[in-house]
Amino acid sequence: MFSFTLENKDTKTKARAGLIKTSHGEIHTPIFMPVGTVGSVKAISPHDLYEIGAEIILGNTYHLHLRPGEEVVEKFGGLHKFISWKRNILTDSGGFQVFSLSEMNKITEDGVHFRSHLDGRKLFISPEDSIRIQTKLGSDIMMAFDECVPYPSEESYVKKSIDLTYRWAKRSKDARTNPEQALFGIIQGGVYKHLRKQSAEQIISLDFDGYAIGGLSVGETNDLMYEIADYTTDFMPEDKPRYLMGVGTPEDLLNCISHGVDMFDCVMPTRNARNGLLFTNNGRLHIKRTDWIYSDEPIDKDCNCYTCKNFSRGYLRHLYKAQELLALRLNSIHNLTFYISLVKDARNAIKGGYFAEFKQEKLKKMKIGGDNV
């Protein structure tokens, strides 16, 4: 069971509000998906995620394949039961991790030979393997196997890559066995517009349940990322979800929502939280600064999260400097709440007809605050 309904379109931008339905509930877009790499969002419990308002989380096929293994997860009844999460899960194909984390040996027509980043074991993954693993994990949305090219890459290499990604996408779709699991295709093409157009046409011709823009936020400038994302969504169907993979900052989310993107994921809110960098409506806040020793203010007076309602900057600084584990949880709760509230507010603005003004005001406040809140 998978469906997508386009509910509203902004009149001044390409921003969209929609509704995805799966057997595990509704996903209101635009949506941000917290990243649960090996079956947990770092430092956060499922209860925390429910309280924060997360409607879908992401799991990493590559990492879960290495440990505990998809057979173990399947034995427990799938990833939802294994991690005690009753809402939606999207699993990536494993392709990005294979290319970014591993000592790669060889890309072939059949798949990718590589070494595990954990113990150096020689491994192989094909489009069929990726779908088989994701099927055993039991995610609500699976991703087709693709090649994520680095930046910069020569145009000739990217051309060969999108053709390979197209052939792998066909094989991914043919390998799908559970119609209850949605399958998204991934558009590649680097920063070459004509190749993005070609890849979009190739992948869309296969009629997936949704479409992702891959291969961005891999080293190119923000302006170039926005330009390519904006260009690519012009070729993506209006009646299917649009997912920009691995993006990004709060500013990235707002800008790419205005370019017609519906779904986002990124480790940034949780990774930065663990390093003491917090996002607020007035810019970024470094909790370790001496300025906060005696501060009884919350991180963000406009935030309604558990952390901001109960704890001061002074206490949170103390926890972080003392290397208390509670600091990681409380910081992560705040940053994830900020991200999920941001896309929820953006959705309300789209439905209310004032998204352009909302975006401009938010970006202005965050820029003024900068890194000195």
Side-chain angles (χ1 to χ4, degrees):
M1 172 192 163
F2 180 90
S3 67
F4 174 73
T5 304
L6 182 60
E7 296 179 321
N8 286 85
K9 292 172 62 178
D10 184 54
T11 57
K12 297 179 182 177
T13 71
K14 292 162 63 177
R16 301 146 39 103
L19 180 65
I20 297 170
K21 291 184 178 180
T22 80
S23 58
H24 283 98
E26 297 181 341
I27 305 165
H28 299 83
T29 66
I31 191 72
F32 177 80
M33 302 180 284
V35 176
T37 304
V38 293
S40 73
V41 178
K42 286 184 171 55
I44 294 287
S45 72
H47 176 76
D48 293 328
L49 291 168
Y50 292 135
E51 292 293 309
I52 289 167
E55 296 177 344
I56 177 171
I57 62 173
L58 183 143
N60 292 110
T61 295
Y62 166 85
H63 290 286
L64 290 165
H65 173 59
L66 293 185
R67 56 183 180 188
E70 62 274 13
E71 289 83 7
V72 172
V73 175
E74 185 183 37
K75 187 74 172 177
F76 279 86
L79 196 55
H80 291 86
K81 291 184 178 178
F82 188 53
I83 70 175
S84 193
W85 174 248
K86 296 179 181 178
R87 295 179 184 170
N88 296 282
I89 298 175
L90 180 148
T91 46
D92 63 12
S93 68
F96 179 78
Q97 282 71 32
V98 166
F99 299 114
S100 65
L101 292 180
S102 307
E103 179 191 333
M104 188 166 41
N105 286 341
K106 191 176 181 183
I107 301 175
T108 69
E109 187 68 34
D110 289 337
V112 185
H113 298 267
F114 63 99
R115 290 184 181 274
S116 164
H117 75 288
L118 295 175
D119 56 16
R121 281 181 298 149
K122 289 184 178 180
L123 299 167
F124 172 79
I125 189 166
S126 68
E128 292 80 7
D129 292 329
S130 174
I131 298 301
R132 175 185 56 79
I133 295 166
Q134 293 182 77
T135 301
K136 287 179 180 291
L137 295 175
S139 55
D140 300 284
I141 300 173
M142 304 185 294
M143 302 302 299
F145 195 63
D146 67 319
E147 181 187 3
C148 181
V149 297
Y151 174 85
S153 290
E154 292 292 331
E155 182 179 341
S156 58
Y157 178 79
V158 179
K159 174 64 173 74
K160 292 178 182 177
S161 175
I162 66 168
D163 291 336
L164 180 62
T165 286
Y166 171 59
R167 294 191 295 273
W168 282 357
K170 290 173 69 175
R171 288 167 55 189
S172 295
K173 189 171 182 186
D174 289 342
R176 177 186 180 184
T177 58
N178 183 359
E180 287 290 304
Q181 291 178 280
L183 180 62
F184 284 18
I186 303 175
I187 298 165
Q188 291 288 347
V191 295
Y192 302 100
K193 287 185 177 179
H194 64 292
L195 296 181
R196 282 284 171 181
K197 180 176 184 289
Q198 181 181 334
S199 181
E201 291 169 347
Q202 289 176 334
I203 299 301
I204 290 163
S205 73
L206 298 175
D207 191 26
F208 286 99
D209 298 302
Y211 299 95
I213 303 171
L216 289 181
S217 192
V218 290
E220 76 282 359
T221 65
N222 281 350
D223 286 344
L224 185 54
M225 176 180 72
Y226 299 153
E227 182 182 344
I228 297 299
D230 185 39
Y231 179 80
T232 306
T233 55
D234 284 343
F235 304 100
M236 300 170 79
E238 283 208 339
D239 62 345
K240 300 285 180 75
R242 302 167 178 174
Y243 168 27
L244 179 56
M245 306 181 77
V247 174
T249 66
E251 295 85 354
D252 291 340
L253 266 60
L254 288 174
N255 282 304
C256 291
I257 287 170
S258 74
H259 297 322
V261 174
D262 305 312
M263 303 171 68
F264 302 87
D265 81 280
C266 192
V267 298
M268 188 168 286
T270 45
R271 179 177 290 169
N272 280 337
R274 298 193 302 276
N275 290 310
L277 178 60
L278 305 173
F279 296 97
T280 81
N281 286 288
N282 295 294
R284 292 158 173 75
L285 184 150
H286 297 270
I287 199 62
K288 60 188 174 184
R289 285 175 54 184
T290 55
D291 306 54
W292 315 133
I293 291 177
Y294 297 106
S295 175
D296 61 358
E297 292 181 82
I299 296 168
D300 187 340
K301 62 181 177 57
D302 296 321
C303 179
N304 200 38
C305 77
Y306 171 73
T307 304
C308 287
K309 286 193 296 185
N310 291 281
F311 304 102
S312 66
R313 294 182 185 184
Y315 179 62
L316 294 169
R317 180 188 183 276
H318 157 67
L319 290 178
Y320 185 79
K321 295 295 285 185
Q323 299 184 342
E324 283 291 323
L325 296 179
L326 182 58
L328 309 184
R329 176 170 176 253
L330 294 179
N331 290 349
S332 297
I333 285 174
H334 168 76
N335 273 0
L336 284 176
T337 300
F338 180 83
Y339 266 64
I340 289 172
S341 296
L342 183 67
V343 293
K344 185 177 180 180
D345 290 345
R347 172 183 165 82
N348 290 336
I350 296 165
K351 298 194 77 173
Y354 57 92
F355 174 76
E357 295 78 12
F358 165 81
K359 173 194 163 190
Q360 185 178 18
E361 182 183 346
K362 280 284 185 183
L363 289 177
K364 183 179 178 181
K365 284 183 70 177
M366 287 190 285
K367 185 177 181 180
I368 290 172
D371 287 337
N372 300 304
V373 173

